Amino acid sequence: DAKTTQPNSMESNEEEPVHLPCNHSTISGTDYIHWYRQLPSQGPEYVIHGLTSNVNNRMASLAIAEDRKSSTLILHRATLRDAAVYYCILREGNYGQNFVFGPGTRLSVLP
Amino acid sequence: DTEVTQTPKHLVMGMTNKKSLKCEQHMGHRAMYWYKQKAKKPPELMFVYSYEKLSINESVPSRFSPECPNSSLLNLHLHALQPEDSALYLCASSQASRGRGYGYTFGSGTRLTVV
């Protein structure tokens, strides 16, 4: 199974950009890169996903390396509400249903 | 409706009790999932249903029994649980497709305590 590695924790100041890295050196050619976050006492929440090209949505941007062995989730202006555990996940398997979470990065946002 | 609804939100049960967790979605998703999450740990996949059929069982003990009575509903029947089964149980749904580009929608979970 393709795995991801992320830093255990990161800190950011409020209203500054945050770059959350993820390494996935064993990614296969058709694996999508997904990012989810989990706020305290809530279920995981979809943030963004991509395959090869960089992606933007209202929540974040996803920058994918040309060789696809790493990616970076970018929060353009961190707010206190962005404090959460961020998970980088590869969607793999015959039907993409073996959705396995890694340990994730705990993001703290300082006022 | 873009939500996955889980009930109850909290459940306390004894080791000899039988209880059920319920999960419902009306997004037309044909894949539904159960995850278990212990404190400070990532969610762990338990079961996957695709088109109402069990497609993945991650070697979960038989005291957990999933059921998918229709395309909108997923149950998890609990019997003779142990205190170490206390955890947050999360339900999720997604499109059931060979394409892997679809995201998952998660419910808020049921906080289970086994006493």
Side-chain angles (χ1 to χ4, degrees):
Chain A
D1 291 347
K3 294 287 189 287
T4 63
T5 57
Q6 300 175 250
N8 289 334
S9 62
M10 291 184 65
E11 250 182 28
S12 172
N13 293 319
E14 198 176 9
E15 298 189 3
E16 289 187 356
V18 182
H19 291 234
L20 297 164
C22 180
N23 288 318
H24 28 79
S25 58
T26 58
I27 190 170
S28 73
T30 52
D31 286 341
Y32 280 79
I33 302 159
H34 284 246
W35 283 82
Y36 285 72
R37 71 180 187 181
Q38 189 171 20
L39 281 64
S41 302
Q42 294 189 24
E45 172 189 29
Y46 169 82
V47 177
I48 201 166
H49 77 278
L51 183 61
T52 56
S53 304
N54 295 344
V55 184
N56 299 297
N57 67 22
R58 64 173 180 81
M59 290 181 70
S61 296
L62 176 60
I64 300 173
E66 197 169 331
D67 63 7
R68 298 204 337 119
K69 293 185 176 182
S70 65
S71 61
T72 302
L73 178 70
I74 303 166
L75 307 179
H76 295 287
R77 287 179 74 241
T79 71
L80 297 178
R81 287 173 294 180
D82 291 323
V85 179
Y86 286 79
Y87 296 103
C88 168
I89 306 165
L90 300 181
R91 188 167 186 184
E92 58 186 319
N94 288 338
Y95 295 90
Q97 293 174 347
N98 191 10
F99 206 63
V100 178
F101 285 78
T105 296
R106 184 172 296 277
L107 175 66
S108 301
V109 180
L110 306 176
Chain B
D1 188 351
T2 58
E3 289 187 348
V4 171
T5 302
Q6 291 189 244
T7 54
K9 293 199 181 306
H10 300 274
L11 178 63
V12 179
M13 61 184 290
M15 289 188 284
T16 58
N17 291 160
K18 286 185 182 180
K19 297 286 185 183
S20 296
L21 309 185
K22 179 180 171 182
C23 173
E24 199 163 2
Q25 56 87 16
H26 297 285
M27 295 176 280
H29 290 170
R30 301 303 296 275
M32 296 185 75
Y33 312 80
W34 281 114
Y35 284 81
K36 172 182 177 180
Q37 186 174 27
K38 301 284 275 184
K40 306 284 189 193
K41 297 289 187 183
E44 296 176 13
L45 183 64
M46 299 174 72
F47 301 105
V48 179
Y49 272 83
S50 181
Y51 295 95
E52 296 85 68
K53 293 194 187 317
L54 184 65
S55 59
I56 296 178
N57 176 344
E58 292 287 357
S59 303
V60 179
S62 59
R63 58 186 183 269
F64 296 91
S65 175
E67 179 196 21
C68 190
N70 60 57
S71 60
S72 299
L73 191 56
L74 184 67
N75 297 320
L76 186 63
H77 303 297
L78 313 172
H79 172 55
L81 295 193
Q82 304 297 311
E84 58 265 29
D85 296 320
S86 298
L88 180 68
Y89 288 84
L90 293 161
C91 174
S93 70
S94 74
Q95 300 280 3
S97 165
R98 287 184 179 273
R100 298 167 188 167
Y102 298 111
Y104 284 38
T105 303
F106 282 83
S108 298
T110 294
R111 176 79 56 190
L112 174 69
T113 303
V114 181
V115 297

